[in-house]
PDB file of all heavy atoms in Angstrom:
ATOM      1  N   SER P1008       2.432  -1.838  -3.032  1.00  0.00           N
ATOM      2  CA  SER P1008       3.609  -2.426  -2.328  1.00  0.00           C
ATOM      3  C   SER P1008       3.961  -1.629  -1.029  1.00  0.00           C
ATOM      4  O   SER P1008       3.441  -0.474  -0.899  1.00  0.00           O
ATOM      5  CB  SER P1008       4.848  -2.305  -3.210  1.00  0.00           C
ATOM      6  OG  SER P1008       5.185  -0.962  -3.508  1.00  0.00           O
ATOM      7  N   ILE P1009       4.604  -2.271  -0.146  1.00  0.00           N
ATOM      8  CA  ILE P1009       4.870  -1.679   1.136  1.00  0.00           C
ATOM      9  C   ILE P1009       6.357  -2.154   1.438  1.00  0.00           C
ATOM     10  O   ILE P1009       6.689  -3.389   1.412  1.00  0.00           O
ATOM     11  CB  ILE P1009       3.941  -2.101   2.195  1.00  0.00           C
ATOM     12  CG1 ILE P1009       4.248  -1.373   3.600  1.00  0.00           C
ATOM     13  CG2 ILE P1009       3.731  -3.603   2.431  1.00  0.00           C
ATOM     14  CD1 ILE P1009       3.122  -1.506   4.544  1.00  0.00           C
ATOM     15  N   SER P1010       7.235  -1.130   1.743  1.00  0.00           N
ATOM     16  CA  SER P1010       8.559  -1.440   2.087  1.00  0.00           C
ATOM     17  C   SER P1010       8.738  -1.928   3.435  1.00  0.00           C
ATOM     18  O   SER P1010       7.811  -1.940   4.291  1.00  0.00           O
ATOM     19  CB  SER P1010       9.432  -0.129   1.868  1.00  0.00           C
ATOM     20  OG  SER P1010       9.084   0.757   2.978  1.00  0.00           O
ATOM     21  N   ALA P1011       9.991  -2.298   3.753  1.00  0.00           N
ATOM     22  CA  ALA P1011      10.294  -2.783   5.126  1.00  0.00           C
ATOM     23  C   ALA P1011      10.072  -1.680   6.104  1.00  0.00           C
ATOM     24  O   ALA P1011       9.669  -1.965   7.244  1.00  0.00           O
ATOM     25  CB  ALA P1011      11.723  -3.291   5.217  1.00  0.00           C
ATOM     26  N   GLY P1012      10.193  -0.431   5.729  1.00  0.00           N
ATOM     27  CA  GLY P1012       9.882   0.673   6.564  1.00  0.00           C
ATOM     28  C   GLY P1012       8.508   1.156   6.526  1.00  0.00           C
ATOM     29  O   GLY P1012       8.180   2.279   7.017  1.00  0.00           O
ATOM     30  N   SER P1013       7.603   0.449   5.864  1.00  0.00           N
ATOM     31  CA  SER P1013       6.206   0.762   5.706  1.00  0.00           C
ATOM     32  C   SER P1013       5.885   1.950   4.846  1.00  0.00           C
ATOM     33  O   SER P1013       4.789   2.462   4.894  1.00  0.00           O
ATOM     34  CB  SER P1013       5.498   0.889   7.118  1.00  0.00           C
ATOM     35  OG  SER P1013       5.530  -0.374   7.749  1.00  0.00           O
ATOM     36  N   SER P1014       6.754   2.304   3.938  1.00  0.00           N
ATOM     37  CA  SER P1014       6.384   3.206   2.832  1.00  0.00           C
ATOM     38  C   SER P1014       5.596   2.455   1.820  1.00  0.00           C
ATOM     39  O   SER P1014       5.896   1.292   1.464  1.00  0.00           O
ATOM     40  CB  SER P1014       7.653   3.779   2.211  1.00  0.00           C
ATOM     41  OG  SER P1014       8.404   4.512   3.102  1.00  0.00           O
ATOM     42  N   THR P1015       4.549   3.120   1.339  1.00  0.00           N
ATOM     43  CA  THR P1015       3.569   2.482   0.475  1.00  0.00           C
ATOM     44  C   THR P1015       3.494   3.157  -0.932  1.00  0.00           C
ATOM     45  O   THR P1015       3.833   4.312  -1.091  1.00  0.00           O
ATOM     46  CB  THR P1015       2.187   2.444   1.082  1.00  0.00           C
ATOM     47  OG1 THR P1015       1.731   3.771   1.311  1.00  0.00           O
ATOM     48  CG2 THR P1015       2.116   1.659   2.391  1.00  0.00           C
ATOM     49  N   SER P1016       3.158   2.369  -1.860  1.00  0.00           N
ATOM     50  CA  SER P1016       2.853   2.971  -3.211  1.00  0.00           C
ATOM     51  C   SER P1016       1.696   2.149  -3.789  1.00  0.00           C
ATOM     52  O   SER P1016       1.521   0.935  -3.466  1.00  0.00           O
ATOM     53  CB  SER P1016       4.126   2.888  -4.145  1.00  0.00           C
ATOM     54  OG  SER P1016       4.452   1.483  -4.411  1.00  0.00           O
ATOM     55  N   TYR P1017       0.985   2.809  -4.757  1.00  0.00           N
ATOM     56  CA  TYR P1017      -0.214   2.268  -5.293  1.00  0.00           C
ATOM     57  C   TYR P1017      -0.296   2.512  -6.812  1.00  0.00           C
ATOM     58  O   TYR P1017       0.160   3.533  -7.341  1.00  0.00           O
ATOM     59  CB  TYR P1017      -1.457   2.886  -4.665  1.00  0.00           C
ATOM     60  CG  TYR P1017      -1.570   2.619  -3.161  1.00  0.00           C
ATOM     61  CD1 TYR P1017      -0.997   3.455  -2.227  1.00  0.00           C
ATOM     62  CD2 TYR P1017      -2.142   1.427  -2.671  1.00  0.00           C
ATOM     63  CE1 TYR P1017      -1.072   3.221  -0.858  1.00  0.00           C
ATOM     64  CE2 TYR P1017      -2.182   1.147  -1.315  1.00  0.00           C
ATOM     65  CZ  TYR P1017      -1.641   2.066  -0.480  1.00  0.00           C
ATOM     66  OH  TYR P1017      -1.696   1.782   0.934  1.00  0.00           O
ATOM     67  N   ALA P1018      -0.950   1.597  -7.566  1.00  0.00           N
ATOM     68  CA  ALA P1018      -1.263   1.821  -8.892  1.00  0.00           C
ATOM     69  C   ALA P1018      -2.318   2.920  -8.939  1.00  0.00           C
ATOM     70  O   ALA P1018      -3.143   3.089  -7.996  1.00  0.00           O
ATOM     71  CB  ALA P1018      -1.876   0.529  -9.565  1.00  0.00           C
ATOM     72  N   ASN P1019      -2.281   3.699  -9.969  1.00  0.00           N
ATOM     73  CA  ASN P1019      -3.211   4.826 -10.096  1.00  0.00           C
ATOM     74  C   ASN P1019      -4.702   4.345 -10.006  1.00  0.00           C
ATOM     75  O   ASN P1019      -5.577   5.064  -9.501  1.00  0.00           O
ATOM     76  CB  ASN P1019      -2.972   5.633 -11.397  1.00  0.00           C
ATOM     77  CG  ASN P1019      -1.721   6.449 -11.301  1.00  0.00           C
ATOM     78  OD1 ASN P1019      -1.310   6.847 -10.275  1.00  0.00           O
ATOM     79  ND2 ASN P1019      -1.178   6.753 -12.527  1.00  0.00           N
ATOM     80  N   SER P1020      -4.938   3.174 -10.590  1.00  0.00           N
ATOM     81  CA  SER P1020      -6.320   2.682 -10.609  1.00  0.00           C
ATOM     82  C   SER P1020      -6.874   2.363  -9.282  1.00  0.00           C
ATOM     83  O   SER P1020      -8.103   2.213  -9.213  1.00  0.00           O
ATOM     84  CB  SER P1020      -6.308   1.401 -11.507  1.00  0.00           C
ATOM     85  OG  SER P1020      -5.487   0.402 -11.020  1.00  0.00           O
ATOM     86  N   VAL P1021      -6.044   2.261  -8.235  1.00  0.00           N
ATOM     87  CA  VAL P1021      -6.570   1.848  -6.869  1.00  0.00           C
ATOM     88  C   VAL P1021      -6.347   2.913  -5.829  1.00  0.00           C
ATOM     89  O   VAL P1021      -6.732   2.796  -4.706  1.00  0.00           O
ATOM     90  CB  VAL P1021      -6.034   0.415  -6.468  1.00  0.00           C
ATOM     91  CG1 VAL P1021      -6.276  -0.618  -7.540  1.00  0.00           C
ATOM     92  CG2 VAL P1021      -4.553   0.509  -6.071  1.00  0.00           C
ATOM     93  N   LYS P1022      -5.560   3.892  -6.271  1.00  0.00           N
ATOM     94  CA  LYS P1022      -5.116   4.959  -5.255  1.00  0.00           C
ATOM     95  C   LYS P1022      -6.335   5.554  -4.627  1.00  0.00           C
ATOM     96  O   LYS P1022      -7.320   5.918  -5.352  1.00  0.00           O
ATOM     97  CB  LYS P1022      -4.310   5.983  -5.986  1.00  0.00           C
ATOM     98  CG  LYS P1022      -3.376   6.756  -5.078  1.00  0.00           C
ATOM     99  CD  LYS P1022      -2.392   7.596  -5.875  1.00  0.00           C
ATOM    100  CE  LYS P1022      -1.408   6.764  -6.578  1.00  0.00           C
ATOM    101  NZ  LYS P1022      -0.364   7.566  -7.322  1.00  0.00           N
ATOM    102  N   GLY P1023      -6.363   5.666  -3.313  1.00  0.00           N
ATOM    103  CA  GLY P1023      -7.455   6.262  -2.634  1.00  0.00           C
ATOM    104  C   GLY P1023      -8.609   5.245  -2.239  1.00  0.00           C
ATOM    105  O   GLY P1023      -9.435   5.581  -1.475  1.00  0.00           O
ATOM    106  N   ARG P1024      -8.574   4.095  -2.828  1.00  0.00           N
ATOM    107  CA  ARG P1024      -9.526   3.033  -2.503  1.00  0.00           C
ATOM    108  C   ARG P1024      -8.893   1.835  -1.802  1.00  0.00           C
ATOM    109  O   ARG P1024      -9.605   1.252  -0.939  1.00  0.00           O
ATOM    110  CB  ARG P1024     -10.131   2.547  -3.806  1.00  0.00           C
ATOM    111  CG  ARG P1024     -10.860   3.613  -4.533  1.00  0.00           C
ATOM    112  CD  ARG P1024     -11.653   2.980  -5.754  1.00  0.00           C
ATOM    113  NE  ARG P1024     -10.849   2.355  -6.745  1.00  0.00           N
ATOM    114  CZ  ARG P1024     -10.876   1.039  -7.058  1.00  0.00           C
ATOM    115  NH1 ARG P1024     -11.755   0.295  -6.561  1.00  0.00           N
ATOM    116  NH2 ARG P1024     -10.088   0.540  -7.899  1.00  0.00           N
ATOM    117  N   PHE P1025      -7.663   1.484  -2.054  1.00  0.00           N
ATOM    118  CA  PHE P1025      -6.958   0.366  -1.493  1.00  0.00           C
ATOM    119  C   PHE P1025      -5.902   0.778  -0.508  1.00  0.00           C
ATOM    120  O   PHE P1025      -5.281   1.869  -0.746  1.00  0.00           O
ATOM    121  CB  PHE P1025      -6.271  -0.553  -2.521  1.00  0.00           C
ATOM    122  CG  PHE P1025      -7.237  -1.251  -3.511  1.00  0.00           C
ATOM    123  CD1 PHE P1025      -8.625  -1.072  -3.493  1.00  0.00           C
ATOM    124  CD2 PHE P1025      -6.692  -2.204  -4.363  1.00  0.00           C
ATOM    125  CE1 PHE P1025      -9.399  -1.723  -4.328  1.00  0.00           C
ATOM    126  CE2 PHE P1025      -7.534  -2.912  -5.174  1.00  0.00           C
ATOM    127  CZ  PHE P1025      -8.928  -2.668  -5.200  1.00  0.00           C
ATOM    128  N   THR P1026      -5.672   0.047   0.511  1.00  0.00           N
ATOM    129  CA  THR P1026      -4.606   0.324   1.549  1.00  0.00           C
ATOM    130  C   THR P1026      -3.913  -0.983   1.834  1.00  0.00           C
ATOM    131  O   THR P1026      -4.431  -1.950   2.210  1.00  0.00           O
ATOM    132  CB  THR P1026      -5.299   0.839   2.848  1.00  0.00           C
ATOM    133  OG1 THR P1026      -6.024   2.069   2.588  1.00  0.00           O
ATOM    134  CG2 THR P1026      -4.179   1.260   3.854  1.00  0.00           C
ATOM    135  N   ILE P1027      -2.573  -0.907   1.694  1.00  0.00           N
ATOM    136  CA  ILE P1027      -1.723  -2.035   2.002  1.00  0.00           C
ATOM    137  C   ILE P1027      -1.051  -1.788   3.406  1.00  0.00           C
ATOM    138  O   ILE P1027      -0.757  -0.686   3.689  1.00  0.00           O
ATOM    139  CB  ILE P1027      -0.624  -2.254   0.915  1.00  0.00           C
ATOM    140  CG1 ILE P1027       0.162  -3.552   1.125  1.00  0.00           C
ATOM    141  CG2 ILE P1027       0.314  -1.006   0.852  1.00  0.00           C
ATOM    142  CD1 ILE P1027       1.086  -3.854  -0.031  1.00  0.00           C
ATOM    143  N   SER P1028      -1.018  -2.881   4.166  1.00  0.00           N
ATOM    144  CA  SER P1028      -0.416  -2.760   5.479  1.00  0.00           C
ATOM    145  C   SER P1028       0.354  -4.112   5.773  1.00  0.00           C
ATOM    146  O   SER P1028       0.107  -5.139   5.057  1.00  0.00           O
ATOM    147  CB  SER P1028      -1.414  -2.429   6.458  1.00  0.00           C
ATOM    148  OG  SER P1028      -2.432  -3.418   6.571  1.00  0.00           O
ATOM    149  N   ARG P1029       1.069  -4.092   6.859  1.00  0.00           N
ATOM    150  CA  ARG P1029       1.836  -5.311   7.242  1.00  0.00           C
ATOM    151  C   ARG P1029       1.862  -5.490   8.733  1.00  0.00           C
ATOM    152  O   ARG P1029       1.823  -4.496   9.482  1.00  0.00           O
ATOM    153  CB  ARG P1029       3.219  -5.257   6.595  1.00  0.00           C
ATOM    154  CG  ARG P1029       4.130  -4.163   7.156  1.00  0.00           C
ATOM    155  CD  ARG P1029       5.393  -4.015   6.356  1.00  0.00           C
ATOM    156  NE  ARG P1029       6.233  -5.191   6.378  1.00  0.00           N
ATOM    157  CZ  ARG P1029       7.127  -5.597   5.426  1.00  0.00           C
ATOM    158  NH1 ARG P1029       7.290  -4.751   4.419  1.00  0.00           N
ATOM    159  NH2 ARG P1029       7.819  -6.690   5.571  1.00  0.00           N
ATOM    160  N   ASP P1030       2.051  -6.752   9.130  1.00  0.00           N
ATOM    161  CA  ASP P1030       2.192  -7.095  10.512  1.00  0.00           C
ATOM    162  C   ASP P1030       3.504  -7.945  10.610  1.00  0.00           C
ATOM    163  O   ASP P1030       3.387  -9.242  10.268  1.00  0.00           O
ATOM    164  CB  ASP P1030       0.993  -7.848  11.074  1.00  0.00           C
ATOM    165  CG  ASP P1030       1.125  -8.058  12.536  1.00  0.00           C
ATOM    166  OD1 ASP P1030       2.253  -8.152  13.087  1.00  0.00           O
ATOM    167  OD2 ASP P1030       0.053  -8.347  13.190  1.00  0.00           O
ATOM    168  N   ASN P1031       4.529  -7.378  10.964  1.00  0.00           N
ATOM    169  CA  ASN P1031       5.784  -8.128  10.933  1.00  0.00           C
ATOM    170  C   ASN P1031       5.842  -9.253  11.963  1.00  0.00           C
ATOM    171  O   ASN P1031       6.517 -10.319  11.820  1.00  0.00           O
ATOM    172  CB  ASN P1031       7.017  -7.235  11.182  1.00  0.00           C
ATOM    173  CG  ASN P1031       7.321  -6.343  10.010  1.00  0.00           C
ATOM    174  OD1 ASN P1031       6.861  -6.629   8.896  1.00  0.00           O
ATOM    175  ND2 ASN P1031       8.012  -5.256  10.260  1.00  0.00           N
TER     176      ASN P1031
END
């Protein structure tokens, strides 16, 4: 997930492999 302020969090199973980002 990624907040409106671009703070991110990840499931342990994907941490370090997946990256979430956004283009408002």
Side-chain angles (χ1 to χ4, degrees):
S1008 65
I1009 184 167
S1010 72
S1013 294
S1014 295
T1015 59
S1016 65
Y1017 299 91
N1019 287 336
S1020 59
V1021 306
K1022 202 170 292 184
R1024 300 188 297 121
F1025 290 11
T1026 303
I1027 189 171
S1028 61
R1029 65 191 297 157
D1030 184 339
N1031 288 342

